[in-house]
Amino acid sequence: MQENYAPGSIFKIVTSMACLETGMDPKAKIYNPPNPYNPNRGIIYVGRRAIDDLAPPGEYDFRRGFIRSSNTYFITKRHARRH
């Protein structure tokens, strides 16, 4: 599977189903900010750790986040569900 997909992308399928089952609004949007070192890609910080996003910056709802496999979208939604 690593040949075609990054290992973390497989977990986005499981995370997606869990978020939808627990009542996540699939139309709610988050903003994926540009990476200062690569403005064509997004970035998210978890604590002081920067996690690169292969998805471009911009607004993401569930559909776009899933299609683009946005790290920022799924990390944001995962942490939002914990609060």
Side-chain angles (χ1 to χ4, degrees), residues 9 19-20 25-26 36 40 46 56 59-60 62 64 67 71 82:
S9 293
C19 286
L20 290 171
D25 178 2
N40 295 324
V46 177
E59 276 196 340
Y60 284 78
F62 174 76
R64 185 169 190 230
I67 289 169
N71 291 334
R82 295 178 132 187

Side-chain angles (χ1 to χ4, degrees), residues 47-72:
R48 293 185 300 165
R49 182 175 178 208
I51 299 174
D52 293 326
D53 196 336
L54 296 178
E59 276 196 340
Y60 284 78
D61 60 7
F62 174 76
R63 185 173 191 273
R64 185 169 190 230
F66 191 79
I67 289 169
R68 294 291 205 149
S69 192
S70 171
N71 291 334
T72 301

Side-chain angles (χ1 to χ4, degrees), residues 1-65:
M1 290 181 92
Q2 286 182 334
E3 189 173 308
N4 295 321
Y5 302 100
S9 293
I10 302 305
F11 291 103
K12 288 178 181 131
I13 297 168
V14 175
T15 303
S16 297
M17 296 295 98
C19 286
L20 290 171
E21 286 181 359
T22 58
M24 177 192 79
D25 178 2
K27 295 184 191 241
K29 295 187 178 185
I30 63 102
Y31 179 70
N32 185 10
N35 184 331
Y37 303 106
N38 185 355
N40 295 324
R41 305 289 187 194
I43 193 166
I44 185 169
Y45 291 90
V46 177
R48 293 185 300 165
R49 182 175 178 208
I51 299 174
D52 293 326
D53 196 336
L54 296 178
E59 276 196 340
Y60 284 78
D61 60 7
F62 174 76
R63 185 173 191 273
R64 185 169 190 230

